[in-house]
Amino acid sequence: ITATLSAQTFQAIGKGTAGFLTQGDLAPMLASSNPVMDLGGGPDCLYVQASITSVTFGAADVALAPQDGGLWLDVELDQANIGMHLDYAAACVDGSRDITVAASHISVSGNMTVGVAGRDFDIHLDSPNVSITGFDVELGGIPGAIVDLLSLDTAMGPLLGWATEKFVVPMLNKSLAGLNSTKTMDVMGTMVDIDMKPDDIQFSSAGAIVVLDSSLRAHGDSGQFVFTDNTVPAMDLSHGFQMAVADDAANQLFTSLWSAKALDKTIDLQNGSYGEIGKLYDSVEVSAAVPPFVDASGSGLV
């Protein structure tokens, strides 16, 4: 199965991500990485550990633009407030304090590489560019040695780039989750396992093309299918979403259902308007001698 996602599709994902950044609960997404700063090799006589406790943004704009090799990400954030808890020691005297790091505007941009690792999409923000305007933090009462260790004016850039990746990647994965799924469905009374996993993803300025491996297997089948010659589909990236399904995918399902006897049916003739036939016969059994199949290799569907 081959699917396309146009540039407009990624614009929509960016808008959804922007809404999440202003309305979502962001701090728990970073909690597993706390402390986000661990300096001095402590706990000992001189160290500091910083953990993020809250993250809020007043406004957000997220642009995702496909390009060769991945997605260009541009995030603009206003009225940023990041709560942090500090544990530290200076001259072997322990201390702790909660602080708030604020900025009037934050810009984060960079290329997001998107690949496939196992069953999942592998997404990374490479070497993000971060700029901070109106940076403000109150460190009064914290020993000077700890202030020097923190160097928040230079440390916040890489930290914000890392945090942005933590926020954006789950939204992308959520949007692509439909291309990586396993489900079991009832088809004509037979349970069928439907499994899809990404095999490859390629980007251009027009959008992305995703190739999926599919398995459509009825319970109790023989594991074979009717094969027909394949042609590579010409995918159109100008629309929001497009899907091409190889006839092999349909034939795998047809043959699977056939070999699992899902196409064998017994029709009760006693409880219907079957006339004289219903008097002579209790039922009729219908079965397919060979599996049905479709062929899309010509000018039409056969």
Side-chain angles (χ1 to χ4, degrees):
I1 297 177
T2 301
T4 66
L5 297 91
S6 69
Q8 290 80 8
T9 301
F10 289 105
Q11 290 176 8
I13 296 174
K15 290 180 180 179
T17 304
F20 173 72
L21 288 176
T22 56
Q23 302 172 21
D25 189 7
L26 304 179
M29 301 178 69
L30 308 178
S32 62
S33 300
N34 281 327
V36 294
M37 299 175 67
D38 190 354
L39 308 169
D44 56 16
C45 286
L46 179 62
Y47 82 97
V48 59
Q49 294 177 338
S51 299
I52 292 179
T53 56
S54 65
V55 181
T56 61
F57 302 112
D61 182 71
V62 178
L64 284 169
Q67 60 180 8
D68 291 344
L71 287 166
W72 179 257
L73 173 69
D74 190 350
V75 180
E76 304 293 333
L77 304 167
D78 290 328
Q79 292 86 49
N81 286 276
I82 302 171
M84 305 182 78
H85 176 77
L86 304 182
D87 290 306
Y88 59 85
C92 296
V93 178
D94 294 334
S96 65
R97 183 175 171 184
D98 293 327
I99 65 171
T100 299
V101 178
S104 59
H105 186 79
I106 299 171
S107 295
V108 181
S109 62
N111 185 60
M112 301 195 79
T113 58
V114 185
V116 176
R119 291 189 57 90
D120 301 314
F121 291 98
D122 188 26
I123 307 172
H124 296 285
L125 177 58
D126 299 331
S127 303
N129 302 309
V130 182
S131 64
I132 304 172
T133 304
F135 181 75
D136 181 53
V137 59
E138 176 57 53
L139 294 175
I142 297 178
I146 301 303
V147 175
D148 292 340
L149 270 180
L150 282 170
S151 299
L152 284 177
D153 54 341
T154 57
M156 287 306 296
L159 181 61
L160 287 168
W162 165 82
T164 300
E165 180 179 7
K166 290 287 187 180
F167 298 145
V168 174
V169 169
M171 293 298 292
L172 273 171
N173 280 328
K174 182 179 179 181
S175 300
L176 297 172
L179 304 177
N180 179 19
S181 62
T182 302
K183 299 179 181 179
T184 300
M185 298 180 62
D186 186 320
V187 180
M188 300 186 302
T190 298
M191 302 309 294
V192 175
D193 293 332
I194 301 173
D195 180 65
M196 291 195 301
K197 62 181 180 180
D199 180 69
D200 188 33
I201 183 168
Q202 299 292 331
F203 284 89
S204 69
S205 59
I209 296 178
V210 185
V211 179
L212 306 169
D213 281 340
S214 64
S215 173
L216 299 90
R217 298 283 299 276
H219 291 189
D221 72 352
S222 66
Q224 300 182 18
F225 71 96
V226 175
F227 172 81
T228 62
D229 289 336
N230 294 314
T231 57
V232 178
M235 304 302 291
D236 182 2
L237 286 163
S238 63
H239 296 80
F241 185 82
Q242 186 182 57
M243 179 175 289
V245 182
D247 51 17
D248 288 341
N251 292 334
Q252 182 188 58
L253 177 60
F254 280 141
T255 309
S256 180
L257 288 168
W258 174 80
S259 65
K261 305 300 182 182
L263 302 184
D264 293 1
K265 297 298 177 183
T266 299
I267 302 173
D268 182 8
L269 299 180
Q270 298 183 79
N271 300 309
S273 56
Y274 299 106
E276 295 298 320
I277 297 179
K279 295 179 181 179
L280 296 173
Y281 301 99
D282 296 330
S283 62
V284 60
E285 296 179 357
V286 180
S287 63
V290 294
F293 69 94
V294 298
D295 184 355
S297 61
S299 58
L301 185 65
V302 177

